[in-house]
Every structure is written in C-alpha cells, then in structure tokens.
Amino acid sequence: MTQDDTTNRDTQPDLGRRKFLNSAALVGLSGAGLSVGLSACNKESAPGAKAPSAKGEVATHSPYEVPPGQLDEYYSFSSGGHSGDVRIYGLPSGRQLKSIPVFNTDNLVGWGITNESKAIIGTRPDGSLKYSTGDTHHVHQTYTDGTYDGKYFFVNDKIHGRLARVRMDTMECDKITELPNIQGFHGTFTDKRDPVDPKINHTTRVFCGAEFSIPLPNDGRDMEDGSKYKSLFSCVDSESMEVRWQVLIDGNCDLVASSYDGKLAATNQYNTEMGVHYEDTMSSEMDACLFFNVARIEEAVKAGKVTTIGSSKVPVVDGTRASNKDPKAALTCYVPIPKNPHGVNITPDGKYYACSGKLSPTASVIEHALVLKWFDGGLANARDAVVAEPEIGLGPLHTGFDNKGNAYTTLFLDSQIVKWNVEAAIKAFKGDKTAKAVVDRIDVHYQPGHGFTSMGETREADGRFFNSDNKFSKDRFLPVGPLHCETAQLIDISGDKMKLVHDHSVLSEPHDSIIVRRDIIKTRQIYDMDEFPNAVKDPAESGVFRNGKKVTVKLTSQAPAFSLREFKLKKGDEVTLILTNHDKVEDLTHGFAMPKYDINFIVNPQETKSVTFIADKPGVYWCYCTHFCHALHLEMRSRMIVEA
Ligand code: CUK
Ligand code: CUA
Ligand code: CA
C-alpha cells in the first residue's frame, strides 16, 4: 500500500468496498502471473505521480504510455451500441478521438439536422427523419487481399435493420440501406476477398445476419403461428449499397464471419429450435454454425432460382435444411455445435472458425477446408468439420487471434480472458493427452463482451494487443450516477503471459471494435468545395433569393465573419439556408446556430451544408458561430430578421 493510496482513501466515500475490490483485483492480477512491470506501472500512475517538470520534460510512466505530443500506434473503431454512433479511440492510450454520428442525431455536427445528413438517414414525406434511433453493434472495414484498405467501414443498426457505410477519408457516414423483411439485424462482416473477378481483389460484399425471426411478409399474417417465422441472411453490395440477394434459412443468424478466400460466409445460430418463446430458444443441447456457399448462391440467383417476399424486389434463394439435403447442390451447411453459441471468428490464416458456446463452456473449432469438403460431398456429416472443442471457461463469447496460433476468448461469466492454442486444441480433440489447449487466463473487470486483437481480423494480425470491452465497470471509475461508463482493458499479448496494460473508460455501450494500424488510415485535412453541388463558391454570391414563398439564403463563412451580417425573411417563408465555409486552414471549423428554430450544425473547411425550415416566428434571431474559431469568434454572428 503506498502513501498515495492511504491519502486517497480519506476522500473515498465507500472505504470497505474499495478495499475489497482492490484486493480482489490484486488476487486476479497475481493469478495471471503479471510481471513486475505492471505493478511499477500501477504505482507510478497513482495519484500524485511525478508531474512533468518545469523544464518541459515529460514524465514517463510505462512503456505503453503515449507521451504528450506523441500519437497512438493504432486506431480503434468501436460501435456505440444504442447510442447509435461509432467512436474512434487511439490505442494504446485509450484516448477517445471522435464520435461519428450514424443512426443517432448529433448536435455537434448537425447530423440529422442538415439536409445532406437527412438525405442519407432517410426522411418521411413531411421531411422528418424516418428513424432517429439506432443500435450499432459491429464495425468491419473493407479489405484488399485479406487486410484493411482504409476505404470504408460498415456498421449495422440492430433496431431498424439498416447497414451504414462510413467513408474513412472523412470519417462520415455516406450511405444507409434498410434491409427488407428482416428484424434484429445483428451480425455483419465484410467479405475479405471477392474471387469472382480476379481483377477485383477487394471487398464488394457485406454479409448481414438477422437475429429475430418474423412472419414473412410481416404484414399482420401468421403472427400466432411460430412455425411460419423465418430469418434471412443478406448480402449487400459495398459500392451501390443495394441488397444483392437474401437466403431464407432455418433457425436464426447471430454473429457473422467471412472467409479469406471469399468462398464461405458463416453465422452462429442460437435458436435452431426456432422458438418464439424465451425458454424454447434454450431447449436444445445443440445449435449450429451455418455456412453459406457464396458462389453457389450467386449462381442460383443468376439462374433465377429465386422468389421475392412482399413488396421487396430482392431475390431470395432457399437455404432451408429441407431444400439443401444434397451437399453437392446445397447452398447452406448447418454444422451442429453446442449450445446457444455466441460469436464466430476466423483465424488470420483463414483455416479455422472459432464459435463460442455461451451456454456451453466450450469453443468449437470448425475447419474451413472440411466445410468445403462437405459441399463437395466428401464429408459424411457436417459435424465432422468440427476439429476441436476445448473447454475454455464459463460464458465464452468472442474470440480474437494473434499471429502465433493463439486465440483469446472473452468469458462473460468468469470475467476472464482465456488464451488458448488452436493447434493444441485440435491435438487434444484427436486424443493426444499431452496437448493442453488453455495457455493462460487473466481477470478482467467485469464481464467482458467483445474482445479483439490488433489487426486480428486480417492476415496481418500482429499479436501485440487485445482489448477487452467489458459490460460492467462498477467501481473502476469515479461513480457518475446509476448509469456507469464501461471499462475497456488493454492487454499486452506479445509475451507468453497476458499483461494488463490499463483501463480506459468508454461511454456506454460499446459492442464490437476493430484495432487498425495507423498507417492504413489516410484522412483528408480539408474538404473539396467542388464536391458540393450547392456550394456558395464566391462570397459575392451571398444573399436572399426569393421565389414566391420559397426562399434561398446563401452565405459563406471565413474567420471571423459570415458573408451576410444580416438577412431578411417574411413570416411563412420556406427557407433553405446554404452555408459554405471558405476557410482553408485545417481544423478551422465554424458553427451555425439559429435560436428558437432548433438549428445547429458545423461547416468544416471548404465544406457546404444546408438546412430547410419555415420562418414561422417573427422577430430578430442572432445566428451565431458555435465553434471557437478566432479571437473574434463571439462577434461572428448574422442577424436573421423575420418580418411579421
Ligand atoms: S454482440 Cu455485443 S457482446 Cu451485438 Cu457483438 Cu457479443
Ligand atoms: Cu466561426 Cu467561431
Ligand atoms: Ca438454442
């Protein structure tokens, strides 16, 4: 116990509980065989640790610390769950860099407020947003030849069944597609390679699983007849964002994985029972990991062996068990695994899928080549594609991989990360008594959901870091009311033993993330004015342009002023205000807030945005710059006059 700890205690309201947790945490840490390096790190980062000296030197705390002025080595892109956004963190520091609004509305940038963002999210005939809520779970990037290409990432909305695309040069959502005839769009994964055209070596497909079964079409028929409830697995074109095809399946889809050769996509199924009631979904000891033969599905679509559902034009092929009994013609392969599995992840060498048991303490290892063999008619039972099923702990959920053949699985119930060796697990499954799958364990705080490794979803997995996104933080951070933040724990996986690097707080409620080497991400510094068709290219074009009741206000911003010091409207005008930022300096953003009209957005350098509103309240409204831009930022205003 250091002096700092003792001093700190006097200010802690709940002494006993904190003491208990400290020792509990210590027990966990020593159990995991942590090195001296970590305890040193803990001590030095305790309150009162050495501050930077007056000379401007920087105190160094641990080999993982990113000193002031230095940049992180990795980006982490993390879904925000029911906040509807995606966050960007720097790792190893854990600094939060940005929240990208996607399915939520956002005051900072005006997402859901500007016309441009509303057009992406989708509107109702009255101009209001079609949906203003969303639930982001899984973030996956586009690939070229098995590794990230930094072009786009995709993220799902579980609530309304939508897939969003975010362009990674500006880190902005540019397209959203609603999948037809599904509910609970949960798992999604970009294809790692499109083998159809050898010249196309990058992602063109995004696979999407539907977790909830519904009557098809869901228009009021068959609501009490559970046997009529079905799920669909969808494929979206990454460029057009149109749904290419869907597969009707038995059971449900949960998480999704894609293969490195573009031949298979997989989804774990926890409701093979096709239960409509809670208990029914857990009644069977075995569920499945379902594999899709992508080439055969696309041939069937081409050959017109399809149906459509309701008003949707998307071709649907039949992937149900009854229609796919002959492996040589089958579109789908149901590999039985225990019980209510959660998570399916492929090893960086593309050979194996790890599917966690959730209600079974096991991970099932399925060999990619054996699933292909089943489709060729060379494997008697689909279950024979399972080459290992090690017992790894309670409540296994998600698995990340290093570059040395090890898997790292989150254990929700055990509050641990377990490191296990895939080849050792396979040997043990074959009966080799000397082979031990589990290599190491480390306690995390508390109840991990997703875990992911640096570059672990690519061929360039580097085995440096594992990040555990935990579902409960309890006492790890200052309490902030009944709703706590969540804990992310960064673990060094470069050695034999896992080492806890640090905790960083994450706003509720992250699900999945990817850790991407920073050299892959190439962002723009400013926008290109020519890309905005409505740009006000010359401040001299500014003014109020009237066409009956329809009025266009054009203005520009350049620090520290708007081009129009004032503009006049008449009560009842339908106004579209277009603002182009003429500043070219990186990071020189202006804001535009309009009191009582509920309008607030920003324009970044060389960017154009517009808003449309009815001038229904006569009076004077000072529209002001919200984003601190200049010494005269507070003076940066434009007077909107609405005549009665
Ligand atoms: S699911 Cu959240 S812990 Cu939506 Cu990725 Cu497994
Ligand atoms: Cu422009 Cu503040
Ligand atoms: Ca089940």
Side-chain angles (χ1 to χ4, degrees):
M1 201 54 63
T2 68
Q3 233 180 349
D4 287 319
D5 286 336
T6 328
T7 333
N8 197 23
R9 283 223 180 140
D10 298 331
T11 62
Q12 294 299 336
D14 191 353
L15 184 67
R17 187 156 167 263
R18 184 153 294 260
K19 190 176 175 188
F20 166 69
L21 279 150
N22 275 346
S23 27
L26 280 172
V27 170
L29 295 175
S30 57
L34 278 169
S35 77
V36 200
L38 177 67
S39 32
C41 159
N42 273 350
K43 212 190 276 167
E44 285 186 26
S45 51
K50 216 171 72 186
S53 79
K55 276 189 205 144
E57 296 153 26
V58 170
T60 45
H61 291 183
S62 88
Y64 308 104
E65 182 171 319
V66 180
Q70 299 292 304
L71 301 179
D72 276 296
E73 286 176 73
Y74 297 94
Y75 287 86
S76 164
F77 297 89
S78 174
S79 61
H82 45 284
S83 61
D85 63 338
V86 173
R87 293 79 176 262
I88 310 178
Y89 294 87
L91 289 178
S93 76
R95 296 166 181 164
Q96 184 168 347
L97 307 176
K98 190 175 214 168
S99 157
I100 305 171
V102 182
F103 302 111
N104 54 326
T105 56
D106 183 90
N107 259 1
L108 178 84
V109 301
W111 190 252
I113 297 170
T114 61
N115 293 332
E116 293 73 19
S117 60
K118 280 175 151 182
I120 293 165
I121 302 169
T123 52
R124 298 178 191 275
D126 69 356
S128 64
L129 290 178
K130 186 174 182 193
Y131 307 112
S132 59
T133 56
D135 184 17
T136 58
H137 279 233
H138 300 107
V139 177
H140 295 292
Q141 233 198 84
T142 43
Y143 288 75
T144 293
D145 205 15
T147 196
Y148 296 137
D149 58 18
K151 195 174 178 198
Y152 297 119
F153 70 76
F154 297 85
V155 63
N156 70 308
D157 164 26
K158 181 168 169 176
I159 304 177
H160 305 298
R162 294 175 294 170
L163 181 74
R165 183 175 76 188
V166 173
R167 50 186 285 183
M168 297 182 77
D169 60 342
T170 60
M171 298 299 173
E172 286 174 323
C173 173
D174 73 343
K175 246 173 171 164
I176 292 178
T177 294
E178 188 171 346
L179 308 177
N181 294 308
I182 61 110
Q183 253 175 52
F185 166 26
H186 193 202
T188 188
F189 218 110
T190 36
D191 198 354
K192 297 195 181 74
R193 182 162 183 266
D194 188 334
V196 177
D197 179 347
K199 280 185 298 244
I200 299 177
N201 203 21
H202 64 85
T203 299
T204 66
R205 295 180 287 230
V206 188
F207 300 114
C208 310
E211 185 184 341
F212 306 148
S213 301
I214 48 171
L216 292 178
N218 188 25
D219 57 3
R221 71 186 79 178
D222 302 326
M223 293 192 288
E224 295 305 326
D225 184 356
S227 70
K228 295 269 171 65
Y229 283 40
K230 291 276 181 200
S231 289
L232 296 165
F233 182 82
S234 309
C235 173
V236 176
D237 186 292
S238 65
E239 284 301 324
S240 71
M241 287 293 280
E242 273 163 26
V243 185
R244 281 194 193 170
W245 43 259
Q246 294 182 300
V247 186
L248 185 75
I249 58 157
D250 283 323
N252 69 335
C253 308
D254 190 14
L255 288 312
V256 170
S258 66
S259 65
Y260 280 89
D261 58 10
K263 291 182 178 170
L264 298 177
T267 187
N268 64 291
Q269 303 193 292
Y270 66 79
N271 189 14
T272 49
E273 301 89 341
M274 298 173 80
V276 175
H277 305 291
Y278 174 75
E279 289 77 8
D280 300 342
T281 65
M282 288 160 258
S283 59
S284 163
E285 284 311 306
M286 296 297 271
D287 282 295
C289 186
L290 168 57
F291 288 86
F292 298 89
N293 188 316
V294 179
R296 282 190 196 166
I297 290 167
E298 297 197 330
E299 279 159 27
V301 171
K302 227 181 187 173
K305 292 179 193 157
V306 298
T307 51
T308 55
I309 299 169
S311 58
S312 164
K313 302 250 180 321
V314 175
V316 178
V317 298
D318 186 350
T320 57
R321 287 171 188 266
S323 307
N324 290 276
K325 283 190 179 141
D326 172 16
K328 284 186 157 169
L331 308 179
T332 50
C333 170
Y334 295 75
V335 177
I337 55 164
K339 170 179 189 175
N340 284 40
H342 188 88
V344 53
N345 301 86
I346 190 167
T347 53
D349 60 11
K351 285 188 183 166
Y352 304 107
Y353 301 84
C355 211
S356 298
K358 191 168 77 186
L359 300 188
S360 159
T362 52
S364 302
V365 179
I366 302 166
E367 188 171 338
H368 179 73
L370 290 178
V371 178
L372 292 176
K373 197 172 172 190
W374 183 88
F375 277 115
D376 288 340
L379 202 67
N381 286 307
R383 172 73 193 169
D384 295 339
V386 175
V387 292
E389 211 150 67
E391 278 208 21
I392 55 174
L394 294 183
L397 296 182
H398 294 280
T399 301
F401 301 96
D402 65 13
N403 52 354
K404 301 180 207 87
N406 297 306
Y408 302 79
T409 303
T410 55
L411 300 174
F412 181 82
L413 297 175
D414 278 341
S415 272
Q416 281 183 337
I417 308 304
V418 56
K419 173 180 177 180
W420 53 283
N421 184 275
V422 178
E423 290 301 337
I426 294 170
K427 279 187 192 147
F429 194 71
K430 282 189 185 138
D432 181 344
K433 292 244 163 42
T434 62
K436 287 234 171 342
V438 172
V439 180
D440 191 22
R441 292 176 188 278
I442 188 169
D443 286 348
V444 291
H445 311 86
Y446 305 84
Q447 266 80 37
H450 269 278
F452 32 91
T453 53
S454 43
M455 295 298 287
E457 293 183 351
T458 74
R459 284 198 193 283
E460 298 185 303
D462 61 16
R464 292 200 48 212
F465 291 111
F466 178 94
N467 192 86
S468 176
D469 268 351
N470 307 326
K471 297 295 187 192
F472 294 85
S473 68
K474 293 177 191 164
D475 47 18
R476 302 296 284 189
F477 302 103
L478 286 175
V480 286
L483 175 66
H484 295 242
C485 67
E486 315 299 347
T487 336
Q489 291 187 297
L490 191 72
I491 295 166
D492 181 339
I493 55 167
S494 59
D496 290 341
K497 293 279 185 189
M498 292 180 276
K499 276 194 259 182
L500 180 62
V501 174
H502 64 64
D503 291 12
H504 59 272
S505 61
V506 280
L507 298 182
S508 302
E509 214 272 89
H511 280 256
D512 191 17
S513 311
I514 51 174
I515 303 177
V516 182
R517 262 191 354 251
R518 73 178 187 200
D519 62 278
I520 291 168
I521 310 295
K522 307 243 186 304
T523 57
R524 288 189 181 184
Q525 292 176 307
I526 61 171
Y527 289 79
D528 179 351
M529 200 182 283
D530 292 335
E531 281 177 28
F532 300 91
N534 57 347
V536 184
K537 289 199 175 167
D538 186 340
E541 291 169 34
S542 304
V544 178
F545 304 91
R546 179 171 290 279
N547 180 5
K549 284 250 154 223
K550 287 205 184 233
V551 175
T552 306
V553 178
K554 294 184 178 182
L555 76 164
T556 62
S557 58
Q558 194 152 23
F562 292 113
S563 57
L564 297 178
R565 305 293 191 259
E566 61 177 53
F567 55 98
K568 275 197 182 128
L569 305 167
K570 290 195 176 67
K571 187 183 173 196
D573 284 346
E574 187 196 310
V575 184
T576 296
L577 181 144
I578 306 167
L579 172 59
T580 298
N581 184 1
H582 278 247
D583 275 306
K584 283 187 182 149
V585 178
E586 184 176 7
D587 208 14
L588 216 174
T589 297
H590 298 287
F592 196 85
M594 199 182 278
K596 315 300 177 192
Y597 277 88
D598 207 19
I599 283 171
N600 185 18
F601 63 96
I602 55 166
V603 275
N604 296 298
Q606 301 286 296
E607 189 182 29
T608 299
K609 281 182 185 166
S610 68
V611 288
T612 297
F613 62 98
I614 306 289
D616 55 359
K617 293 175 278 288
V620 167
Y621 301 91
W622 285 104
C623 301
Y624 68 96
C625 177
T626 50
H627 209 90
F628 212 108
C629 54
H630 191 275
L632 292 173
H633 158 74
L634 291 167
E635 286 80 354
M636 187 168 175
R637 293 188 253 159
S638 183
R639 190 162 60 120
M640 179 168 86
I641 298 164
V642 181
E643 296 170 337

